[in-house]
Amino acid sequence: MSREFIAKQYPWFLNTWDKYKFPIERADAIRYFALAHFGGIYIDLDDGCRRRLDPLLTVPAFVRSTSPSGVSNDIMGSVPGHPFFIKVLNNLKRYNRNWLVPYITIMFSTGPLFLSVILEQYNRYGVPDTGKVRVLLPADYKGNDDSFLKIAPGSSWHTDDAKFIKTLGRHIPLAVFTGFMITGLVFLMEWYLYKWCVRLNFSRMKEKVRGWFNKGRMGRPRKDSNLPAQRPLVKIEVV
């Protein structure tokens, strides 16, 4: 159904849609298209409402902040044709790149990091009131009785690389120390390799110079002479 919607309403994007490597990228993209086209509120299945969302309907668009920075794409709202979400659609093709690591590829192509970058660009030069995007703070969506939403731990799409990156994030001092150790070992290996190459080249150069010197002692013919090169005299002792 999603592909048929894209093919009918946004055929210029169909090629990018089909080339997405991960299903979660299409799941991210279709929510942007639905909000830009129909408007409304999108909420992930692992999130829920604590109270009525009517106050959020008074703003033209909203997203929620996330930790440590930026915004998330699990809860969003918009009127149809909001300029921010139109900008999001227009940048999906440009940000569809393969960063080799699945987690980074997804986050930067369609995920929260992509949305955060586009929001930063959108707000850079100021927008009119009708085009503003409200960013919900933690107090708005979790943590107290007046919060609109209940945020559950998600990340069902995370693979092993994402788990590894998150583990590094929870052990930053150890990760930094390990990084410095690896960097130091690499530089040490490069230094020993450099010294070995210098010694090897020096030995070869010394042999070449010695060969040139010995060859020069054999004598060379003058440029204006057809005589062969003179050989050094050999001293013969008579007994």
Side-chain angles (χ1 to χ4, degrees):
M1 182 181 295
S2 297
R3 189 181 187 281
E4 286 74 10
F5 169 74
I6 295 295
K8 181 179 179 180
Q9 301 294 337
Y10 303 93
W12 56 267
F13 187 73
L14 188 60
N15 186 48
T16 303
W17 174 274
D18 290 336
K19 287 184 177 179
Y20 277 139
K21 184 177 180 180
F22 304 100
I24 187 62
E25 292 178 294
R26 283 185 281 272
D28 285 338
I30 193 61
R31 66 188 71 174
Y32 302 140
F33 279 98
L35 287 174
H37 191 84
F38 299 108
I41 295 177
Y42 170 84
I43 302 177
D44 266 1
L45 291 176
D46 46 8
D47 298 329
C49 299
R50 294 178 60 92
R51 65 187 182 96
R52 293 178 63 89
L53 304 180
D54 294 38
L56 296 179
L57 301 179
T58 61
V59 296
F62 69 87
V63 292
R64 78 170 181 91
S65 62
T66 189
S67 177
S69 63
V71 297
S72 179
N73 65 349
D74 62 341
I75 298 170
M76 303 177 290
S78 173
V79 297
H82 191 280
F84 168 65
F85 282 99
I86 297 299
K87 183 177 180 66
V88 170
L89 302 190
N90 292 335
N91 279 275
L92 282 170
K93 290 181 66 174
R94 186 160 67 95
Y95 280 81
N96 181 29
R97 301 174 183 174
N98 184 0
W99 295 93
L100 301 181
V101 180
Y103 178 76
I104 298 176
T105 297
I106 294 167
M107 292 291 282
F108 272 106
S109 63
T110 60
L113 287 178
F114 160 75
L115 193 67
S116 300
V117 170
I118 301 304
L119 181 61
E120 178 68 23
Q121 295 175 1
Y122 180 75
N123 290 328
R124 183 171 299 167
Y125 302 109
V127 294
D129 291 340
T130 56
K132 286 186 176 180
V133 179
R134 177 182 175 182
V135 178
L136 302 180
L137 300 177
D140 296 323
Y141 60 82
K142 69 175 183 179
N144 58 64
D145 295 336
D146 294 330
S147 299
F148 288 106
L149 305 159
K150 180 180 180 181
I151 308 298
S155 67
S156 59
W157 57 272
H158 285 184
T159 53
D160 292 338
D161 66 305
K163 296 175 183 177
F164 175 73
I165 292 174
K166 285 183 172 290
T167 301
L168 290 180
R170 290 192 294 267
H171 302 86
I172 292 179
L174 179 61
V176 172
F177 174 77
T178 304
F180 274 113
M181 290 294 294
I182 294 175
T183 303
L185 288 174
V186 170
F187 275 112
L188 186 62
M189 292 175 63
E190 288 182 348
W191 169 247
Y192 279 112
L193 180 62
Y194 170 76
K195 290 178 64 177
W196 179 78
C197 291
V198 169
R199 289 176 182 173
L200 181 62
N201 290 335
F202 179 76
S203 299
R204 290 179 177 176
M205 182 60 68
K206 186 167 64 173
E207 291 296 328
K208 286 184 178 180
V209 172
R210 183 178 297 171
W212 293 338
F213 179 75
N214 292 335
K215 186 177 180 181
R217 294 178 59 185
M218 298 292 292
R220 296 181 180 178
R222 288 166 33 194
K223 292 184 178 180
D224 57 349
S225 174
N226 293 325
L227 297 177
Q230 295 181 358
R231 297 183 178 275
L233 298 177
V234 179
K235 184 178 181 181
I236 301 176
E237 295 183 0
V238 178
V239 180

